[in-house]
């Protein structure tokens, strides 16, 4: 299957020699290599590759126009991320084109394969930035001003990659031309692991967001400053991390503090500033709001008790995504045709992970499919999917695309 060849070509790009994790950051070296690989692979298939005003890549089978069916995912990674999160959806899309052609299928409407930029937010902090820009869900001025850990702005990084940041913004002609968008993704969990189904269908995406907390204290000497005289921002951060875990456990939610910046970050110096990022997710918006407020209040109390100032800023929020039931059921029925009846119905899976499909769902009829992940591990070098299940994903995606390219779905 062409999937194996495509996977072998793309897998080494951005993979570290020690540990095998991936470092593909938007507009940086490995990201450019991955984009070049996609472009070359698409052109080799006779597809017309275009870059939209926000830097997302689109490979077209057929002339771009209204009524198009779109699929794809992303190629960027979290720091030291896994091989499958994002790239699986891109590679299977290219392989699905090969599969459809091998069947003698010729689409009567255009098919687009998309590669969205900064889906993970690994460099500039805002996830799904490419799809948010294209759909008008983030102000382009704010996006241009985003900075990475080195202080480089999105605008400067994008310009250095040869693109025009002044042209960024909503792209209604592109988005409005899509009849449907389908994203295939590796499962981030193990709901399929104990079933006979290599492929499941998404039901919903939990509401989620990221909040930045800045604890400002006073830099001082770690060896000479009495404890009573300290204004140490690390202490309220510690209380906040524990509060996040307690609140998430109490409400059956998710709350994680996994990224911090410490200034001046010396072993013998009390910090003057600690910045931390809260990632919070829950099954519904009300629960998410309660969790975030409990964490915020715990941070406020701890900062007050330790003589530290606190500022909290919302970096991104995504509401509950409930995928169209009719479209979801249509995909499930198509996927079920390849599975023995004894396996039971195709699983419909909720997820706490965000995706470009979730952003697009407010503007385009959208659906997702998941390829089985036997370990359930994601955002880690241990992320994995069996090649046979990946092949099943290619077949499922090809079947779904053939169906969607044949029958319009805008009314779904």
């Amino acid at each position: 299957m062409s999937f194996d060849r495509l996977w072998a070509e793309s897998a080494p790009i951005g993979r570290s020699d020690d540990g095998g994790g991936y470092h593909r950051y938007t507009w940086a070296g490995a990201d450019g290599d991955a984009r070049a690989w996609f472009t070359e692979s698409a052109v080799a298939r006779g597809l017309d590759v275009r870059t939209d005003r926000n830097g997302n890549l689109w490979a077209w089978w057929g002339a771009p126009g209204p009524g198009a069916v779109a699929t794809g995912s992303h190629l960027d990674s979290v720091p030291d991320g896994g091989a499958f999160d994002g790239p699986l959806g891109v590679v299977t899309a290219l392989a699905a084109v090969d599969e459809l052609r091998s069947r003698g299928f010729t689409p009567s409407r255009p098919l687009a394969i998309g590669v969205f930029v900064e889906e993970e937010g690994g460099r500039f902090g805002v996830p799904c930035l490419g799809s948010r820009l294209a759909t008008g869900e983030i102000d382009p001025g704010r996006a241009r001003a985003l900075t990475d850990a080195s202080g480089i702005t999105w605008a400067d990084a994008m310009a250095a990659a040869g693109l025009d940041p002044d042209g960024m913004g909503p792209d209604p002609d592109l988005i409005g031309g899509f009849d449907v968008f389908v994203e295939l993704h590796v499962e981030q969990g193990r709901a399929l692991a104990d079933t006979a189904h290599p492929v499941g269908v998404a039901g919903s995406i939990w509401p989620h967001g990221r909040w930045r907390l800045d604890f400002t204290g006073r830099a001082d000497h770690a060896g000479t400053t009495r404890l009573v005289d300290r204004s140490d921002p690390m202490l309220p951060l510690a209380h906040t991390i524990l509060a996040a875990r307690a609140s998430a456990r109490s409400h059956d939610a998710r709350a994680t503090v996994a990224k911090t910046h410490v200034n001046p970050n010396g072993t013998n110096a009390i910090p003057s500033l600690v910045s931390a990022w809260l990632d919070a997710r829950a099954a519904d918006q009300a629960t998410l709001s309660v969790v975030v407020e409990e964490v915020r209040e715990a941070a406020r109390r701890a900062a007050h008790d330790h003589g530290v100032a606190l500022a909290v800023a919302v970096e991104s929020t995504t509401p509950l995504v409930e995928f169209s039931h009719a479209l979801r059921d249509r995909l499930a029925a198509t996927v079920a045709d390849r599975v023995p009846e004894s396996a039971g119905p195709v699983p419909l899976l909720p997820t706490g992970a965000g995706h470009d499909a979730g952003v697009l769902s407010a503007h385009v009829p959208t659906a997702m499919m998941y390829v089985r992940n036997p370990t359930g591990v994601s955002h880690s070098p241990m992320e994995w999917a069996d090649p046979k299940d990946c092949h099943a994903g290619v077949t499922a995606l090809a079947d779904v695309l053939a169906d969607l390219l044949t029958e319009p779905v805008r009314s779904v």
Side-chain angles (χ1 to χ4, degrees):
M1 179 177 275
S2 66
F3 172 86
D4 298 319
R5 183 173 64 257
L6 288 163
W7 191 257
E9 292 169 354
S10 63
I13 301 172
R15 184 170 57 200
S16 64
D17 294 332
D18 53 336
Y22 284 81
H23 299 268
R24 293 174 176 168
Y25 304 136
T26 303
W27 311 134
D31 176 70
D33 294 340
R35 289 167 66 89
W37 164 82
F38 172 78
T39 299
E40 292 167 7
S41 299
V43 169
R45 286 161 172 76
L47 307 182
D48 178 17
V49 181
R50 304 185 181 191
T51 304
D52 70 20
R53 63 189 301 179
N54 298 299
N56 305 307
L57 291 172
W58 296 97
W60 290 88
W61 185 9
V69 172
T71 187
S73 193
H74 62 97
L75 292 172
D76 64 307
S77 75
V78 298
D80 207 36
F84 293 83
D85 183 355
L88 182 63
V90 175
V91 174
T92 53
L94 291 169
V97 169
D98 294 341
E99 170 69 16
L100 290 172
R101 282 177 167 158
S102 72
R103 301 177 188 178
F105 181 86
T106 301
S108 57
R109 295 185 292 140
L111 171 67
I113 300 174
V115 176
F116 289 100
V117 296
E118 192 71 356
E119 195 272 355
E120 298 289 6
R123 182 176 180 186
F124 293 96
V126 177
C128 300
L129 192 56
S131 54
R132 290 181 194 272
L133 282 164
T135 56
E137 294 197 6
I138 187 171
D139 178 70
R142 180 193 169 198
R144 281 190 285 267
L146 292 171
T147 58
D148 67 7
S150 300
I152 299 172
T153 66
W154 172 277
D156 287 343
M158 187 176 183
L163 300 173
D164 179 16
D166 291 332
M168 290 163 43
D171 202 339
D173 290 339
L174 174 71
I175 301 301
F178 294 147
D179 188 55
V180 63
F181 179 84
V182 177
E183 181 172 2
L184 183 141
H185 204 277
V186 68
E187 183 189 8
Q188 294 170 294
R190 57 184 316 277
L192 296 173
D194 299 321
T195 75
H197 294 275
V199 178
V201 174
S204 61
I205 298 176
W206 284 12
H208 55 278
R210 297 180 184 182
W211 289 260
R212 174 172 174 160
L213 299 92
D214 290 321
F215 297 92
T216 303
R218 184 182 67 251
D220 219 326
H221 196 294
T224 62
T225 309
R226 298 187 309 166
L227 298 185
V228 69
D229 293 331
R230 297 186 181 203
S231 178
D232 184 351
M234 291 293 279
L235 297 177
L237 171 61
H239 285 280
T240 301
I241 293 171
L242 294 174
R245 178 59 179 262
S247 181
R249 183 189 297 115
S250 174
H251 299 287
D252 193 22
R254 311 285 186 270
T256 309
V257 177
K259 176 182 176 181
T260 62
H261 288 167
V262 180
N263 186 38
N265 204 29
T267 56
N268 60 349
I270 298 168
S272 59
L273 171 67
V274 176
S275 297
W277 282 262
L278 170 70
D279 180 299
R281 307 163 190 248
D284 58 78
Q285 186 60 51
T287 302
L288 177 62
S289 297
V290 169
V291 169
V292 172
E293 184 55 35
E294 288 183 356
V295 176
R296 190 197 303 261
E297 179 59 20
R300 187 198 64 77
R301 289 196 306 269
H304 177 268
D305 291 346
H306 293 282
V308 171
L310 171 66
V312 180
V314 181
E315 291 210 333
S316 65
T317 59
T318 302
L320 172 69
V321 173
E322 187 75 30
F323 291 112
S324 161
H325 288 198
L327 182 56
R328 176 200 73 187
D329 294 345
R330 180 169 168 176
L331 263 66
T334 301
V335 172
D337 287 343
R338 300 271 182 174
V339 182
E341 288 188 13
S342 59
V346 173
L348 299 176
L349 308 177
T351 182
H355 301 284
D356 290 306
V359 175
L360 290 172
S361 66
H363 308 268
V364 180
T366 303
M368 288 190 69
M369 297 188 294
Y370 299 117
V371 170
R372 182 165 50 197
N373 179 343
T375 67
V377 175
S378 187
H379 283 188
S380 159
M382 294 178 63
E383 182 180 86
W384 190 71
D386 189 286
K388 292 182 179 179
D389 289 349
C390 295
H391 296 168
V394 172
T395 301
L397 182 59
D399 290 345
V400 164
L401 293 177
D403 175 54
L404 296 174
L405 286 163
T406 302
E407 294 292 336
V409 299
R410 265 290 177 182
S411 60
V412 174

